[in-house]
Amino acid sequence: MSLSSGGDVEGGVNGKKSENGAPTLKVFRRRWLVLAAFCFLSLLNGFQWVQYAIVSDSVARYYGVSLQAVDWASMVYMLMYVPFVAPASWMLDKKGLRHTVVLAAVLNCLAAWVKVASGRPDLYAVTMVGQAVAAVTQAFVLAVPARLAAVWFGAGEVATACAIGVFGNQVGNAFGFLLPPLVVKNQEDVDELGSELRTVYYGVAAATTLSLLIILLVFQDAPPVPPSHSQALSQGSTASSGLLQSIGRLLRTPGFALLVVTYGISVGAFYAISTVLNLLVNTVFPGNSDAGNIGLVLVVAGLLGSIVCGVLLDATRKYKEVTLGVYVLSVAGMIAFMASFLATSIWVVYLTSFFLGFFLTGYLPLGFELAVELTYPEPEGTSAGLLNVSAQVFGIVFTELCGLPLERQSGAEPAAHLWVNGSLSGALLLGALLTALIPRTLRRQTAQAAQASVK
């Protein structure tokens, strides 16, 4: 297979084939618009995930529910993913990117408007229904970045594109940590709390409506011409068979089952920290309002980590080495984060949260891309779905193990925060050891190199 003179460059459609019958390869400027539209959708879904957790005290007071009930507003994201990952993966594989992303945008918008209708103290059940719809949306959103990157981007930029796709959800997490505490104050006046919560609800509803309109107008399923040799080869491959058969092949692929476990541990730890962060900070620094800002630092550092790791992958193609290195540094970051809670200054927590966030959250796109390399030419959505199922399961387990001790103690006893951070440090250490056992199998890179060498 050979690349035509117009291959892998910016430009319009050229449906011709090269002289030996191979398809012409091109990347199109529109790929950035498609990626940006998806990132905006993912951002808003990520925002809805943490919008309750970071102001959990105020939400519990307004609706008259327990802090554990508010924790479930975040954990429902993890719980709902598991039964809906199969339909989401099926839709992505059989119906394509546009149908999947349009449905996600519709559900995300619906979730926000349901929460608008829940702005009374006796309607916490309604707000949980809205949150459950947003959680279903996540199943359709999280599988998209790896597929979108493979379908629209050239071989030398897929890891960066995947990182940017993940980046959108992390930006949403960042805004979820930043904005609600600025609007919803920790006060006793229930009427004022209701007004502040409704301000957040209407703002999110307006933004999700705009996102839906953008998706409908600009999002396309795929370019007319594949952007890379590996993508051209994957079209019409055995990966187009049934979902169950594909899952069976994935789980039999050497190293993939290990990656499912290690990815779940890493991302589940991030989910747990994000959910219980408000309780964790207030356990050690009572009456402190820095939890939202610390969460913001975690996520912003992760944004930088995602982009740096994506660029590093595209530059080196050292998927196993980069993934393992970042995992080991995540362990170091978690241990430093644990030690910072023994300090007397909250600023030490800020510093260690940046280090932790850079590597722990920066790992997300690495797991997706390593999975694609291990399992090519299986559908990217299916492998990403299995990784995310693992992340949700570990996230629920870790959140429950971390949240209950924090809720039960008075704040004077340090054992709870040591248990939380120490347990997550040990889990991440196990994940790093298992990551070292994953083989250095790069099937997509091998296929790309083999086809590019054929003249």
Side-chain angles (χ1 to χ4, degrees):
M1 182 181 290
S2 63
L3 203 67
S4 74
S5 59
D8 280 347
V9 296
E10 303 283 351
V13 177
N14 181 350
K16 297 179 180 179
K17 293 186 176 182
S18 59
E19 61 278 2
N20 62 358
T24 298
L25 306 180
K26 281 193 176 182
V27 292
F28 298 88
R29 291 185 181 92
R30 190 179 184 88
R31 71 194 187 279
W32 297 110
L33 184 60
V34 169
L35 181 59
F38 169 74
C39 284
F40 186 42
L41 165 63
S42 184
L43 180 156
L44 293 169
N45 189 247
F47 180 94
Q48 293 194 73
W49 171 45
V50 296
Q51 72 177 101
Y52 294 103
I54 204 60
V55 288
S56 56
D57 294 344
S58 298
V59 174
R61 184 178 305 114
Y62 179 71
Y63 285 108
V65 297
S66 67
L67 288 172
Q68 189 174 13
V70 180
D71 283 348
W72 273 101
S74 294
M75 287 195 289
V76 71
Y77 258 60
M78 309 171 207
L79 184 66
M80 296 299 286
Y81 185 89
V82 176
F84 282 94
V85 63
S89 297
W90 177 88
M91 188 166 190
L92 185 60
D93 296 338
K94 300 301 182 182
K95 300 299 182 180
L97 280 167
R98 179 172 168 82
H99 284 86
T100 303
V101 173
V102 167
L103 178 59
V106 170
L107 291 174
N108 209 39
C109 185
L110 175 63
W113 283 106
V114 169
K115 284 187 271 188
V116 166
S118 72
R120 289 196 341 232
D122 60 334
L123 295 179
Y124 188 69
V126 176
T127 210
M128 283 298 295
V129 169
Q131 193 71 349
V133 175
V136 173
T137 306
Q138 185 196 45
F140 293 87
V141 167
L142 291 185
V144 168
R147 170 64 68 86
L148 193 154
V151 168
W152 278 93
F153 288 79
E157 54 189 14
V158 287
T160 301
C162 182
I164 294 173
V166 174
F167 173 99
N169 202 260
Q170 294 172 339
V171 171
N173 295 161
F175 280 114
F177 283 120
L178 175 65
L179 296 182
L182 296 179
V183 179
V184 182
K185 307 300 182 182
N186 190 5
Q187 57 179 297
E188 298 298 328
D189 191 325
V190 174
D191 291 335
E192 282 298 317
L193 278 178
S195 177
E196 292 163 355
L197 283 169
R198 286 190 293 272
T199 298
V200 175
Y201 293 160
Y202 275 107
V204 176
T208 54
T209 302
L210 175 61
S211 170
L212 174 58
L213 293 174
I214 291 173
I215 292 293
L216 291 172
L217 289 172
V218 309
F219 200 92
Q220 290 184 348
D221 191 61
V225 177
S228 65
H229 290 292
S230 58
Q231 180 60 24
L233 284 170
S234 70
Q235 295 174 352
S237 70
T238 56
S240 63
S241 61
L243 177 62
L244 293 179
Q245 291 89 338
S246 180
I247 292 174
R249 289 193 298 271
L250 287 170
L251 295 178
R252 291 193 299 271
T253 300
F256 181 71
L258 278 175
L259 180 61
V260 168
V261 174
T262 60
Y263 185 90
I265 291 173
S266 178
V267 181
F270 171 71
Y271 287 168
I273 292 172
S274 299
T275 302
V276 305
L277 185 61
N278 191 37
L279 285 174
L280 183 62
V281 172
N282 280 284
T283 295
V284 184
F285 302 95
N288 195 287
S289 61
D290 284 70
N293 292 331
I294 292 170
L296 179 64
V297 169
L298 273 168
V299 177
V300 169
L303 300 179
L304 297 176
S306 294
I307 299 302
V308 170
C309 291
V311 172
L312 187 61
L313 279 187
D314 280 332
T316 65
R317 311 293 174 88
K318 301 290 186 181
Y319 287 78
K320 164 69 180 294
E321 291 82 355
V322 173
T323 301
L324 179 58
V326 168
Y327 216 118
V328 170
L329 290 169
S330 296
V331 177
M334 193 68 239
I335 294 173
F337 189 70
M338 176 176 63
S340 71
F341 279 85
L342 300 176
T344 57
S345 173
I346 190 70
W347 295 107
V348 181
V349 180
Y350 274 97
L351 290 174
T352 57
S353 66
F354 183 90
F355 183 82
L356 174 63
F358 186 93
F359 294 107
L360 187 63
T361 317
Y363 169 81
L364 269 67
L366 300 183
F368 285 143
E369 287 300 303
L370 180 58
V372 174
E373 291 294 335
L374 289 171
T375 62
Y376 177 87
E378 296 297 332
E380 297 87 354
T382 306
S383 60
L386 290 174
L387 293 183
N388 283 317
V389 166
S390 178
Q392 312 308 318
V393 172
F394 276 102
I396 291 172
V397 172
F398 289 163
T399 301
E400 281 292 289
L401 289 176
C402 295
L404 289 176
L406 291 173
E407 291 170 10
R408 289 174 178 172
Q409 75 158 33
S410 63
E413 172 60 48
H417 76 82
L418 290 175
W419 161 259
V420 169
N421 291 319
S423 298
L424 294 179
S425 297
L428 287 171
L429 177 60
L430 174 62
L433 295 174
L434 293 177
T435 299
L437 302 178
I438 297 174
R440 292 180 176 85
T441 305
L442 304 179
R443 294 184 177 185
R444 182 174 60 180
Q445 295 299 318
T446 301
Q448 176 75 19
Q451 291 301 319
S453 66
V454 177
K455 303 298 181 183

